[in-house]
């Protein structure tokens, strides 16, 4: 199971620029398309289809995974959109009709303490055939006045199988909320980390060169000089 999840996440990371992945079998199938020119994509508030307030169990054979593209640290700028990619792997016996994705922010020490219900995203005519995978984009923004710190993000995807509603949790973990106008940003953290790594490598190289030169100089100075005692 762990190896399969790792491969699934790797495939999802391999194409972060895609909003949806076409899943084509040998026969004609419907494919989840959430990019431009693909399946219809809409933004809704609290009411998502007919199942917005429902809580359903996950369907057997359905695996989900979540990736934060180019944001491994899961940094979320308050008031600005953050994108995640939700992967669905259908190993069941029927096609999966994806209805919507939604998420909420909670205090990390008690999930009963809700911080914010995030805007939901609905998909129209999006399906994942059996023995196939598909990727769906989801963007959210936390309140710009939210105090920076660690919070828990709980994301769920609602879908139908044979007109029966199901729900799977694709992410239940920590995010780090930072101020949008603060010093830190995703790009700045990456650049600072890269700069520190490069400085460290340069420092090690310079230290090695100095040590090499020091050893060469010490060896030269320690060699006894040959004294010519031959008398004319």
């Amino acid at each position: 199971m762990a190896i399969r999840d790792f491969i699934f996440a790797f495939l999802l990371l391999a194409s972060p620029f895609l909003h949806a992945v076409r899943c084509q079998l040998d026969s004609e199938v419907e494919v989840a398309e959430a990019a431009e020119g693909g399946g219809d994509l809409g933004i809704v508030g609290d009411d998502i289809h007919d199942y917005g307030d429902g809580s359903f169990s996950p369907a057997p054979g359905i695996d989900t995974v979540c990736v934060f593209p180019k944001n491994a640290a899961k940094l979320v700028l308050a008031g600005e959109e953050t994108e995640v990619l939700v992967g669905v792997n259908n190993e069941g016996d029927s096609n999966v009709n994806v209805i919507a994705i939604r998420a909420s922010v909670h205090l990390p020490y008690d999930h009963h303490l809700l911080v914010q219900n995030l805007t939901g995203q609905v998909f129209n005519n999006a399906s994942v055939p059996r023995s196939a995978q598909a990727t769906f984009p989801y963007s959210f923004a936390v309140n710009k006045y939210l105090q920076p710190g660690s919070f828990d993000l709980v994301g769920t995807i609602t879908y139908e199988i044979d007109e029966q509603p199901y729900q799977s949790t694709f992410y239940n973990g920590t995010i780090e909320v930072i101020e949008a106008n603060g010093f830190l940003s995703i790009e700045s953290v990456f650049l600072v980390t890269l700069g520190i790594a490069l400085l460290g490598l340069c420092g090690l190289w310079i230290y090695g060169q100095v040590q090499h030169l020091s050893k060469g100089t010490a060896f030269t100075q320690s060699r006894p000089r040959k004294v010519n005692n031959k008398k004319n």
Side-chain angles (χ1 to χ4, degrees):
M1 177 67 70
I3 297 177
R4 184 178 64 181
D5 292 343
F6 174 78
I7 296 175
F8 189 19
F10 176 78
L11 292 175
L12 188 60
L13 268 174
S15 302
F17 55 88
L18 294 178
H19 289 292
V21 176
R22 287 188 175 271
C23 305
Q24 187 80 27
L25 301 179
D26 294 336
S27 59
E28 292 184 3
V29 294
E30 288 187 43
V31 183
E33 295 179 272
E36 294 182 2
D40 297 333
L41 176 67
I43 305 298
V44 296
D46 294 330
D47 52 340
I48 297 180
H49 203 261
D50 295 329
Y51 312 126
D53 297 326
S55 179
F56 308 100
S57 60
I62 305 301
D63 296 321
T64 58
V65 68
C66 174
V67 172
F68 288 70
K70 301 179 181 179
N71 185 11
K74 300 178 178 61
L75 298 178
V76 175
L77 276 66
E80 296 190 7
E81 283 195 348
T82 299
E83 183 184 43
V84 298
L85 297 178
V86 182
V88 178
N89 183 30
N90 183 7
E91 296 295 337
D93 298 327
S94 303
N95 291 355
V96 172
N97 297 319
V98 177
I99 303 300
I101 295 176
R102 69 182 306 160
S104 55
V105 179
H106 303 259
L107 292 181
Y109 54 83
D110 189 354
H111 276 199
H112 290 93
L113 298 178
L114 176 66
V115 176
Q116 181 183 356
N117 268 323
L118 302 173
T119 301
Q121 187 163 292
V122 65
F123 298 86
N124 299 322
N125 303 321
S127 66
V128 184
R130 57 184 180 177
S131 302
Q133 300 173 351
T135 306
F136 300 90
Y138 174 62
S139 297
F140 66 90
V142 301
N143 194 297
K144 64 180 180 180
Y145 299 112
L146 184 62
Q147 182 178 358
S150 296
F151 297 89
D152 277 2
L153 176 72
V154 179
T156 59
I157 182 169
T158 305
Y159 50 93
E160 286 182 333
I161 299 178
D162 297 329
E163 298 185 356
Q164 178 70 30
Y166 295 92
Q167 191 176 76
S168 296
T169 299
F170 60 83
Y171 186 78
N172 185 358
T174 303
I175 57 174
E176 189 71 22
V177 177
I178 59 178
E179 294 181 354
N181 58 350
F183 173 75
L184 287 178
S185 67
I186 298 173
E187 292 80 5
S188 63
V189 169
F190 174 77
L191 292 175
V192 169
T193 304
L194 180 61
I196 293 175
L198 290 176
L199 287 174
L201 290 174
C202 290
L204 289 175
W205 183 82
I206 293 173
Y207 178 78
Q209 294 299 315
V210 170
Q211 289 291 101
H212 179 73
L213 292 175
S214 298
K215 289 181 180 179
T217 303
F219 178 76
T220 302
Q221 292 178 349
S222 62
R223 283 194 310 174
R225 293 183 179 182
K226 186 177 180 180
V227 179
N228 190 357
N229 295 324
K230 185 177 180 179
K231 297 182 179 179
N232 292 331

